[in-house]
Amino acid sequence: MIVASLMAGGVALAVGPGAPGTSGTASAPDFWLTVSPARLVVQPGPIDTSVRVGGLRAPDFVISGPVEFGATVENVGTVRRDFFGEEGLKVEVNGCEIPFPDFTVLPGTSRDVTVRWTDPPLMCACHAKVSVTGSDGTSSRSATVVVFPLHLFVMLLSLSGALYLLALWARRRCQACLLGIVREARDPD
């Protein structure tokens, strides 16, 4: 019988006669697979809910939305930290809170999470901040995102240039027409 087990993920596989629930004959291999949730062991000692924000990732410059924010949350405490619902992690951008999806961070691990800001203003220098509080205090990171509609600015500049050239052409045409009338009035041959 071949038995493979992965305890951290809670997966076990047995192939061959003698696997649980088999007849025990060697005529045909039987397969047995079970999946169970990972077991977390509670260790005695002080409870430490320390958590640290390793960084806030955001683009420096965008021409329009949506804007992606990413954060790395590291659990440096002794218990798992759940970030669900009202207790969840949020990025604050110019007074607006955008919640990250629900997640859990186990002790000694870190987790990368992302959120999408779907409706940024048309133009701003937006200051984003992520804060998380643990037993060792508050850890926070910030970033600045410049939202500037460069494509609209180029379009406006092109339209202004085209109107200027049109006005210049119309002025020269009008001047040429007036000069023709003046020449005709001076020289009535």
Side-chain angles (χ1 to χ4, degrees), residues 3-13 32 34-41 106:
V3 176
S5 176
L6 179 62
M7 292 306 289
V11 177
L13 170 69
W32 169 66
T34 182
V35 178
S36 63
R39 294 185 181 124
L40 300 176
V41 178
L106 297 176

Side-chain angles (χ1 to χ4, degrees), residues 51-58 68-74 81 83 87-101 103 111-116 126-134 137-145:
V51 67
R52 174 172 42 213
V53 178
L56 176 62
R57 295 175 306 283
E68 290 251 341
F69 292 102
T72 303
V73 180
E74 183 180 359
R81 287 292 306 265
F83 296 92
E87 301 294 320
L89 189 65
K90 298 172 182 71
V91 60
E92 183 180 331
V93 185
N94 289 355
C96 175
E97 286 188 344
I98 305 157
F100 282 92
F103 65 98
R111 182 87 184 257
D112 290 331
V113 290
T114 59
V115 68
R116 183 175 286 216
C126 304
H127 302 286
K129 183 178 180 181
V130 172
S131 297
V132 64
T133 304
T138 301
S139 173
S140 64
R141 295 290 182 260
S142 60
T144 300
V145 178

Side-chain angles (χ1 to χ4, degrees), residues 77-167:
T78 58
V79 296
R80 77 175 196 192
R81 287 292 306 265
D82 295 320
F83 296 92
F84 296 139
E86 291 298 318
E87 301 294 320
L89 189 65
K90 298 172 182 71
V91 60
E92 183 180 331
V93 185
N94 289 355
C96 175
E97 286 188 344
I98 305 157
F100 282 92
D102 296 340
F103 65 98
T104 299
V105 185
L106 297 176
T109 63
S110 64
R111 182 87 184 257
D112 290 331
V113 290
T114 59
V115 68
R116 183 175 286 216
W117 185 25
T118 56
D119 57 345
L122 183 63
M123 189 175 358
C124 77
C126 304
H127 302 286
K129 183 178 180 181
V130 172
S131 297
V132 64
T133 304
S135 59
D136 62 344
T138 301
S139 173
S140 64
R141 295 290 182 260
S142 60
T144 300
V145 178
V146 176
V147 180
F148 186 76
L150 192 60
H151 59 295
L152 296 178
F153 179 72
V154 169
M155 198 175 354
L156 181 66
L157 196 60
S158 300
L159 183 62
S160 299
L163 288 175
Y164 176 74
L165 290 175
L166 182 65

Side-chain angles (χ1 to χ4, degrees), residues 178-189:
L178 287 176
L179 281 175
I181 292 173
V182 170
R183 282 189 192 134
E184 203 174 289
R186 282 191 191 165
D187 215 12
D189 350 52

